Every structure is written in structure tokens, then in C-alpha cells.
Amino acid sequence: EVQLVESGGGLVQAGGSLRLSCAASGLTFDDYDIGWFRQAPGKEREGVSCMSNSDGSTYYVDSVKGRFTISRDNSKNTVYLQMNSLKPEDTGVYYCAVDWHGTSFNPLEYDYWGQGTQVTVSS
């Protein structure tokens, strides 16, 4: 059974930092591209960052460029999202996901998802 388990969310003041982790099991982790998504109340799920398994290329949505960093440790089957200079608009449930087909910000292309972790940024 494939499982993705996020952790590291919480409540932080604007300008603060959080590091999200996503531990994967039940799959050959380094065969998959990875992505982080978020969903705010009343809004659609949006892609935040993704990373290629083949060459390590990383991609970010414009609103988080320069503040968020995605990384992965294949030896630990874990992907991370370092979030700095957090803003209230970063609030939402953050999900990690894996994609066999390639890096994308389209959630429909992802094969497996975690349950999400709540990030709340207060002003």
C-alpha cells in the first residue's frame, strides 16, 4: 500500500518559517516526480512546487519563488518543503503528491497523495 504522510505544519506568525516533510512508503520513491500543493478554504487546490526525479529540476509558483525550497532525500524516501518569510496568504492545507508521468502543477496528473498538513500564518 502506498502511503504519503505529511508533517511539520502549524501556526506561525507572518515572517516566520516552517519545514514540511512528507514520508513515502510502498513505492519506489525515486521513480516519481514530486509535488507540493496547497488548498485554502473555498479555493481550488494549487500547485506550489514540484521536483523532477530525473535531473532534480525544481519549479515554483510565482507567489512562493524566493521563499520556498523543495528538496528530497531518496535515501529516506522523504520530500521537504522549506517555507520562509511566510505570509497570511500562504495559509492552507498542504499536500504532497507523487507523479509517475512528469513534473506538473496539474493535480489531476498525480498518482498518490498524502492526507495534508495545516499551515496557518497569522498577521
Side-chain angles (χ1 to χ4, degrees):
E1 178 188 7
V2 175
Q3 283 193 318
L4 301 176
V5 180
E6 299 98 335
S7 60
L11 173 64
V12 64
Q13 289 189 330
S17 298
L18 285 173
R19 188 193 195 204
L20 305 183
S21 299
C22 173
S25 61
L27 75 170
T28 306
F29 184 65
D30 53 6
D31 283 348
Y32 289 82
D33 300 298
I34 56 175
W36 283 98
F37 293 77
R38 65 186 177 191
Q39 189 165 20
K43 295 188 176 181
E44 292 186 352
R45 190 168 300 188
E46 69 164 342
V48 175
S49 180
C50 55
M51 185 173 189
S52 168
N53 71 317
S54 59
D55 62 6
S57 297
T58 57
Y59 306 88
Y60 300 92
V61 68
D62 285 347
S63 60
V64 308
K65 284 181 181 177
R67 299 189 298 122
F68 289 14
T69 303
I70 189 172
S71 62
R72 67 192 293 168
D73 185 340
N74 288 340
S75 68
K76 297 181 179 179
N77 282 8
T78 301
V79 58
Y80 304 98
L81 186 68
Q82 178 67 44
M83 307 187 296
N84 299 327
S85 302
L86 283 161
K87 304 176 181 180
E89 51 264 43
D90 294 318
T91 294
V93 179
Y94 282 69
Y95 301 88
C96 67
V98 294
D99 183 356
W100 174 262
H101 306 97
T103 50
S104 168
F105 282 143
N106 183 354
L108 297 177
E109 296 187 12
Y110 281 75
D111 302 293
Y112 301 104
W113 291 82
Q115 83 290 345
T117 185
Q118 177 70 46
V119 171
T120 303
V121 185
S122 62
S123 56

